[in-house]
Amino acid sequence: MKCKKCGGKASVNMRQHKLALCKEHYLDWVPEQTERFIKKYEMFTRDEKILVAVSGGKDSLALWDILHRLGYHADGLYLGLGIDGGIGYSHESQRLTEKFAHERDLKLHIVDIETEYGQPIPVLSEISHRGHGKPCAVCGLAKRHEMNRIARDLGYDVLATGHNLDDEAAVLFGNTLSWSSEYLLRQGPVLPASDGLARKVKPLCRFYEREMTAYSLVRGIEYIYEECPFAEGSQSIYYKELLNQLETARPGAKLTFYLRFLEARKRGDLFIEKDLERAHLRSCPKCGQPTSTGDLCSFCRMIEKATSAQAA
Ligand code: SF4
Ligand code: ZN
């Protein structure tokens, strides 16, 4: 297989794009495409301050690398979740993130959940009795809350995450199966700023997971290969497997699924008035972040429950 740009030996073949590229041209292609998506979805400009949520995994580190190469003002945020799982997961992912930042002289903020809230994620999950034995519900809640809080407190305009197409298609698939209109309404490459919350963007949302793996490998980014030990057996991994089967039979199916959704959403085809009303959010009286009830948000309720369980 030959590189479409130079005729040299191709290293990455993307069937869904009918495009094969050599290493050098692949390393140009990824940032070019990213820049195109940033502009197309009006994610941010060169004057804005971007906070990249980095986990030590390939996608978030690749995103940070790409934004840096494109000349954006992008700092990193690492959240210490306190997950060990027998492999020192959090410890190792933090070490790799710090190393990445240090080698490139990038600014990294580190926030540790245990330092902030007294307990690491697995313990918070246990004592607040949420999530049926798995910490993922509390973890997701805490990540979202802390990213929002820190972006706001430190004055960033935009919060960027490394979600790729496989992540987005799996979430979309799940929300479509249960027809969760409130979630569908909020899914997209850009979530506009609201009530003191920074805008949220996903610049990698049109890249296949394997494209990001290839980018990280070719670019020599050292990232944590292990998934979080709690990810095993999760619904999203199951959906990803199903979508991969579909993709194998019909190359491009995943991308089409996601892009057609975005088109329908943009036209306003998908939803009825009632859904739009329900998706209207109010502010949590304690932290000021959005909540659908008008009472304490789920994160503040979880912390309250964990605190009172500890005191008892
Ligand atoms: Fe958190 Fe993801 Fe690990 Fe669940 S799998 S605990 S959500 S990092
Ligand atoms: Zn709150």
Side-chain angles (χ1 to χ4, degrees), residues 37 66 81 119 121 150 165 191 237 244 256 276:
F37 304 147
I66 293 165
L81 306 170
Q119 298 291 355
I121 291 292
I150 292 151
L165 176 67
L191 190 64
I237 291 190
N244 282 341
T256 307
L276 289 168

Side-chain angles (χ1 to χ4, degrees), residues 122-195:
V123 180
L124 277 180
S125 172
E126 214 168 286
I127 58 183
S128 64
H129 299 288
R130 283 181 77 118
H132 313 286
K134 268 213 171 201
C136 297
V138 165
C139 184
L141 200 59
K143 282 195 275 200
R144 207 167 32 231
H145 189 274
E146 290 300 280
M147 285 175 199
N148 278 330
R149 179 178 72 81
I150 292 151
R152 178 187 65 191
D153 290 358
L154 300 180
Y156 285 92
D157 302 295
V158 193
L159 183 66
T161 55
H163 294 94
N164 59 41
L165 176 67
D166 293 49
D167 299 321
E168 290 306 284
V171 171
L172 175 59
F173 189 59
N175 287 337
T176 306
L177 284 183
S178 55
W179 205 248
S180 309
S181 12
E182 289 162 68
Y183 289 107
L184 288 168
L185 261 173
R186 275 182 258 151
Q187 195 185 350
V190 179
L191 190 64
S194 64
D195 300 331

Side-chain angles (χ1 to χ4, degrees), residues 10 14 24 26-27 37 56-57 59-60 77 81 158-159 163 190 196 215 218 220 232 259 269:
M14 293 163 286
E24 192 191 321
Y26 188 67
L27 287 183
F37 304 147
D59 302 297
S60 55
L77 166 65
L81 306 170
V158 193
L159 183 66
H163 294 94
V190 179
Y215 181 82
V218 176
E232 207 188 308
L259 293 183
D269 277 2

Side-chain angles (χ1 to χ4, degrees), residues 95-256:
R95 185 185 73 78
L96 291 167
T97 306
E98 286 180 300
K99 186 165 181 266
F100 178 95
H102 182 74
E103 284 169 358
R104 292 156 182 81
D105 205 13
L106 295 173
K107 186 167 170 185
L108 173 66
H109 305 280
I110 297 180
V111 173
D112 191 74
I113 295 288
E114 183 168 357
T115 312
E116 296 290 323
Y117 299 99
Q119 298 291 355
I121 291 292
V123 180
L124 277 180
S125 172
E126 214 168 286
I127 58 183
S128 64
H129 299 288
R130 283 181 77 118
H132 313 286
K134 268 213 171 201
C136 297
V138 165
C139 184
L141 200 59
K143 282 195 275 200
R144 207 167 32 231
H145 189 274
E146 290 300 280
M147 285 175 199
N148 278 330
R149 179 178 72 81
I150 292 151
R152 178 187 65 191
D153 290 358
L154 300 180
Y156 285 92
D157 302 295
V158 193
L159 183 66
T161 55
H163 294 94
N164 59 41
L165 176 67
D166 293 49
D167 299 321
E168 290 306 284
V171 171
L172 175 59
F173 189 59
N175 287 337
T176 306
L177 284 183
S178 55
W179 205 248
S180 309
S181 12
E182 289 162 68
Y183 289 107
L184 288 168
L185 261 173
R186 275 182 258 151
Q187 195 185 350
V190 179
L191 190 64
S194 64
D195 300 331
L197 292 188
R199 184 181 334 133
K200 281 196 203 154
V201 299
K202 298 169 183 167
L204 305 183
C205 66
R206 287 177 60 162
F207 287 107
Y208 281 71
E209 174 153 8
R210 58 179 292 270
E211 293 170 354
M212 293 328 298
T213 309
Y215 181 82
S216 299
L217 291 176
V218 176
R219 182 95 176 123
I221 295 173
E222 233 189 300
Y223 63 90
I224 185 158
Y225 293 115
E226 284 87 10
E227 291 245 23
C228 170
F230 294 110
E232 207 188 308
S234 71
Q235 202 170 58
S236 85
I237 291 190
Y238 176 59
Y239 291 158
K240 281 183 183 176
E241 284 166 7
L242 289 178
L243 290 167
N244 282 341
Q245 287 181 29
L246 181 66
E247 181 75 24
T248 307
R250 286 170 44 196
K254 229 184 272 183
L255 187 59
T256 307

Side-chain angles (χ1 to χ4, degrees), residues 145 284-289 296-301:
H145 189 274
C284 167
K286 189 160 171 210
C287 69
Q289 292 197 23
L296 284 188
C297 72
S298 324
F299 179 81
C300 290
R301 260 187 291 141

